[in-house]
């Protein structure tokens, strides 16, 4: 399986990092070794002093496909959850300045935390999914999927032009504004339409 991530998919987040709003999705990937299940401890990496959380809606691909038309994209997923795209922001800033790929800052071990999946049919408002992210019990990020620049179906159509999608692949759909630092002993939680689907301790 592979983990495909979308960058700069919310205008307010692109602005907070001083990035331009792109015309087409910014895509990067993480390897399977980046996966961390909810409930496990996340170990703060030694190579960064500025670890940021980015809470994102995560879609699990349920059916293989290539060049998927946007109108058929809904047939390729049945479950959704929240995840954390952990980012070594100091490392990423250096790579960005040099125009280099982001993998060292984004694709390290445990950098893709994935919550418990919920069936797509159980989502009460699929056109505007609401989610919140808490650090030590305080809400630090709030997302509404209607603010995504590229919809889930649009992302699947776009991404599948370049990469075949396979059942089990995960798509991180980008973070809303409010990204920020975390440190050892922090407790991170994510709530999808009122259901707590993710809980991680930073060690
Ligand atoms: Zn992200």
């Amino acid at each position: 399986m592979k983990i495909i991530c979308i960058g700069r998919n919310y205008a307010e987040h692109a602005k907070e990092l001083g990035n331009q709003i792109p015309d087409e999705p910014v895509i990067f990937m993480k390897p399977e070794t980046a996966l961390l299940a909810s409930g496990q401890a996340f170990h703060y990496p030694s190579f960064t002093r500025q670890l940021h959380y980015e809470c994102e809606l995560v879609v699990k691909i349920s059916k293989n496909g290539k060049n998927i038309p946007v109108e058929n994209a809904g047939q390729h997923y049945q479950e959704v959850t929240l995840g954390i795209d952990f980012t070594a922001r100091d490392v990423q800033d250096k790579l960005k300045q040099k125009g280099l790929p982001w993998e060292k800052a984004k694709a390290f071990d445990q950098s893709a935390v994935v919550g418990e999946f919920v069936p797509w049919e159980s989502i009460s408002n699929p056109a505007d999914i609401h989610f919140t992210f808490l650090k030590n019990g305080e809400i630090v990020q709030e997302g509404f999927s209607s603010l995504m620049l590229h919809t889930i179906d649009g992302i699947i159509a776009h991404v599948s032009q370049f990469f075949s999608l396979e059942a089990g692949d995960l798509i991180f759909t980008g973070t809303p504004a409010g990204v920020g630092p975390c440190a050892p002993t922090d407790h991170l939680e994510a709530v999808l339409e009122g259901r707590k689907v993710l809980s991680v301790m930073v060690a």
Side-chain angles (χ1 to χ4, degrees):
M1 61 83 66
K2 57 187 172 293
I3 304 164
I4 295 166
C5 304
I6 304 303
R8 302 174 198 170
N9 201 21
Y10 291 80
E12 287 302 315
H13 169 63
K15 270 192 230 161
E16 77 181 341
L17 292 186
N19 290 317
Q20 303 271 39
I21 294 166
D23 313 330
E24 51 172 56
V26 173
I27 302 170
F28 57 96
M29 291 209 249
K30 299 188 188 229
E32 197 169 349
T33 43
L35 272 181
L36 181 72
S38 171
Q40 310 271 315
F42 171 84
H43 296 277
Y44 198 103
S46 56
F47 52 78
T48 178
R49 302 207 167 271
Q50 198 187 14
L51 180 79
H52 272 192
Y53 53 78
E54 297 188 355
C55 178
E56 318 196 351
L57 268 179
V58 177
V59 178
K60 187 193 275 182
I61 296 297
S62 58
K63 184 177 145 190
N64 296 1
K66 186 176 168 63
N67 295 319
I68 300 166
V70 68
E71 59 273 20
N72 294 346
Q75 300 165 15
H76 290 261
Y77 59 93
Q78 294 171 347
E79 290 177 298
V80 66
T81 189
L82 296 171
I84 306 172
D85 166 20
F86 271 125
T87 303
R89 193 72 69 201
D90 47 354
V91 176
Q92 188 194 27
D93 286 346
K94 276 189 204 151
L95 294 169
K96 272 162 75 175
Q97 277 168 21
K98 294 181 188 161
L100 293 171
W102 296 353
E103 275 83 351
K104 286 200 292 184
K106 286 280 199 183
F108 51 86
D109 288 359
Q110 302 191 319
S111 62
V113 186
V114 178
E116 274 173 56
F117 280 91
V118 303
W120 182 257
E121 310 91 78
S122 74
I123 296 292
S124 56
N125 192 3
D128 195 15
I129 303 169
H130 176 235
F131 60 97
T132 52
F133 184 67
L134 297 87
K135 183 169 95 168
N136 302 322
E138 205 175 299
I139 294 178
V140 288
Q141 285 194 280
E142 182 169 30
F144 293 92
S145 65
S146 62
L147 297 177
M148 287 166 60
L149 300 170
H150 303 281
T151 62
I152 292 173
D153 290 3
I155 290 167
I156 287 174
H158 181 76
V159 160
S160 69
Q161 295 175 55
F162 300 92
F163 317 110
S164 293
L165 293 177
E166 297 179 304
D169 288 349
L170 301 178
I171 302 181
F172 279 64
T173 59
T175 190
V179 301
C182 53
T185 76
D186 281 344
H187 183 209
L188 308 173
E189 296 164 291
V191 179
L192 176 61
E193 288 194 331
R195 284 176 281 197
K196 196 210 281 184
V197 293
L198 182 153
S199 169
V200 162
M201 290 291 301
V202 181

